[in-house]
Amino acid sequence: MARVIVITSGKGGVGKTTTAAAMAMGLAQRGNRTVVIDFDVGLRNLDLIMGCERRVVYDFVNVINGEANLNQALIRDKRCDGLYVLPASQTRDKDALTVEGVGQVLEDLGKSHDYIVCDSPAGIEHGATMAMYFADDAVVVTNPEVSSVRDSDRMLGILSSKSRRAESNEEPIREHLLLTRYSPERVARGEMLSLEDVQEILSLNLLGVIPESQAVLNASNAGVPVILSSDSDAGQAYGDMVSRFLGEDVPMRFLEAGKKGLFSRIFGG
């Protein structure tokens, strides 16, 4: 059976969908048959970041309602064998996601995939709780700011108490921290929390630190998971994150302020 990974946060706009796309791509690049599911019913952004929005015919809710089967709804990524996208519906309500329906879809996907990455909406509304319920692993995405970290702390309580694993008295969900939009320069100026501050508050296994980078926005606008931007610091950081998730011992990078040359200072590189 596949391992189910939920990408979650308490606050919106921290980079969950970017992370879900990057992680799914990274896992598939390493030979794992992977599917990434958009749980944000009513909004649907994952297909844009994956660059497959024009290929959406059927969606997650269609499958749950029996209006399409998985083969009809899954979109195969053109850049990486073994990677598939299951998009969300833009026209349905989040209540269309039921425990029975979601559970059946994940069970069916688990028969033919190694990893199922769930892109959760922010907060604790219905779509988010459905994404978390069946998780084996949770990647808690937070920015280095007080409100984001506080909301992530709230999510940890829900992960530990309202999941299928908690209800069944099984081994707890493995929780990982991913710190995004990190700027050592701003930390030094006291404009954002340091990595140590965040770790002290959340006390989670650190999966990675993603630097603040224009490459993330550029990749999203181009419909390309940023992990494919291997010449960018953000792309490399996401690659490191996937390696650590798979058990490799990879040192943390991009934690220190780098010295910029003349051209970088002029052009903002």
Side-chain angles (χ1 to χ4, degrees), residues 1-8 37 39 60 64 96-110 114-118 120 126-139 158-168 170-174:
M1 290 294 290
R3 193 152 185 96
V4 179
I5 308 164
V6 64
I7 313 297
T8 186
I37 305 175
F39 274 78
F60 192 10
I64 289 175
L97 300 179
T98 63
V99 171
E100 296 78 12
V102 172
Q104 187 61 57
V105 170
L106 295 181
E107 182 180 338
D108 292 344
L109 287 170
D114 300 306
Y115 291 100
I116 300 171
V117 179
C118 303
S120 170
H126 184 68
T129 56
M130 283 293 98
M132 290 185 287
Y133 184 75
F134 294 95
D136 300 309
D137 290 85
V139 177
I158 295 171
L159 284 166
S160 63
S161 61
K162 292 191 175 183
S163 68
R164 181 187 60 176
R165 285 176 169 267
E167 290 179 2
S168 304
E170 297 177 24
E171 181 183 345
I173 294 173
R174 291 195 310 184

Side-chain angles (χ1 to χ4, degrees), residues 132-195:
M132 290 185 287
Y133 184 75
F134 294 95
D136 300 309
D137 290 85
V139 177
V140 180
V141 183
T142 188
N143 291 158
E145 57 182 59
V146 173
S147 62
S148 181
V149 175
R150 180 196 61 194
D151 289 348
S152 293
D153 203 22
R154 167 70 172 145
M155 296 306 297
L156 294 176
I158 295 171
L159 284 166
S160 63
S161 61
K162 292 191 175 183
S163 68
R164 181 187 60 176
R165 285 176 169 267
E167 290 179 2
S168 304
N169 205 26
E170 297 177 24
E171 181 183 345
I173 294 173
R174 291 195 310 184
E175 299 167 344
H176 313 269
L177 171 64
L178 183 71
L179 189 58
T180 55
R181 296 181 180 166
Y182 192 73
S183 169
E185 292 84 3
R186 294 180 64 190
V187 170
R189 295 196 297 268
E191 296 174 2
M192 61 172 53
L193 297 176
S194 69
L195 172 60

Side-chain angles (χ1 to χ4, degrees), residues 66-137:
E67 298 159 354
N69 61 45
L70 276 171
N71 284 334
Q72 291 175 292
L74 286 174
I75 301 172
R76 183 177 62 83
D77 189 87
K78 294 180 177 180
R79 296 155 298 206
C80 183
D81 289 338
L83 177 59
Y84 295 82
V85 180
L86 183 56
S89 171
Q90 282 185 310
T91 59
R92 307 294 181 97
D93 188 85
K94 289 179 172 61
D95 290 336
L97 300 179
T98 63
V99 171
E100 296 78 12
V102 172
Q104 187 61 57
V105 170
L106 295 181
E107 182 180 338
D108 292 344
L109 287 170
K111 297 172 183 176
S112 55
H113 292 81
D114 300 306
Y115 291 100
I116 300 171
V117 179
C118 303
D119 179 24
S120 170
I124 56 175
E125 49 85 17
H126 184 68
T129 56
M130 283 293 98
M132 290 185 287
Y133 184 75
F134 294 95
D136 300 309
D137 290 85

Side-chain angles (χ1 to χ4, degrees), residues 219-237:
S220 296
N221 288 339
V224 176
V226 69
I227 196 170
L228 296 179
S229 303
S230 57
D231 58 342
S232 71
D233 50 4
Q236 293 169 31

